[in-house]
Amino acid sequence: MKRFLLIVIVASSLAACKKSGVTPINIVGKWELHERKGGFILPPDSTYNAGNGNTYQFNSDGSYQQYVNGALAVSGTYRLDKDTLYYNNNSYGDQALYSLITVSGNTLTFRPQMADMGTMIYSKLQN
């Protein structure tokens, strides 16, 4: 009986440790703009060559830097809440600028809250 009880306890413990099946999104690293689709403000459906200087650097401490044409444009902190990216900096404050963020292999896709910006697709350069 003690052996049966031990087996039940161990099995219950293992079942309680089972992961929920939801993998958190990891965007830490340096990402370069590769493609932009749709939108009203910027020209739609643009493809960018490697080395274009339009990058995001997301750091594990929650800080980030955005570079436009190789020059630092904005820096601050970020946080992810499920698939929504929140920025906190002098320009935006704490706002949800991008939602429906997906990471697939070395591709990061942003679908902004503001439909006029279009979808941005980034390629990972480094961790």
Side-chain angles (χ1 to χ4, degrees):
M1 182 67 170
K2 288 182 182 181
R3 182 176 245 177
F4 175 75
L5 185 58
L6 180 63
I7 291 171
V8 170
I9 291 171
V10 170
S12 297
S13 298
L14 292 175
C17 294
K18 187 176 181 181
K19 293 187 178 185
S20 66
V22 176
T23 304
I25 296 173
N26 181 5
I27 62 171
V28 171
K30 188 171 187 177
W31 302 85
E32 182 176 57
L33 182 61
H34 174 69
E35 188 176 359
R36 186 178 56 244
K37 296 180 180 180
F40 304 113
I41 293 177
L42 303 170
D45 300 335
S46 300
T47 302
Y48 297 84
N49 294 324
N52 61 61
N54 297 306
T55 61
Y56 275 100
Q57 173 69 48
F58 293 102
N59 303 305
S60 60
D61 66 357
S63 65
Y64 82 95
Q65 297 81 36
Q66 179 186 12
Y67 294 85
V68 176
N69 296 321
L72 181 63
V74 179
S75 64
T77 59
Y78 74 94
R79 65 183 171 88
L80 283 170
D81 183 7
K82 298 181 185 172
D83 63 353
T84 302
L85 177 64
Y86 292 86
Y87 288 102
N88 192 348
N89 59 49
N90 292 336
S91 299
Y92 304 119
D94 188 25
Q95 294 186 12
L97 292 182
Y98 296 102
S99 60
L100 299 175
I101 295 174
T102 57
V103 176
S104 178
N106 289 329
T107 302
L108 171 64
T109 302
F110 292 146
R111 292 201 172 105
Q113 296 275 343
M114 301 163 280
D116 54 355
M117 290 179 60
T119 298
M120 311 287 246
I121 301 169
Y122 287 79
S123 298
K124 191 164 195 175
L125 297 177
Q126 65 188 35
N127 287 329

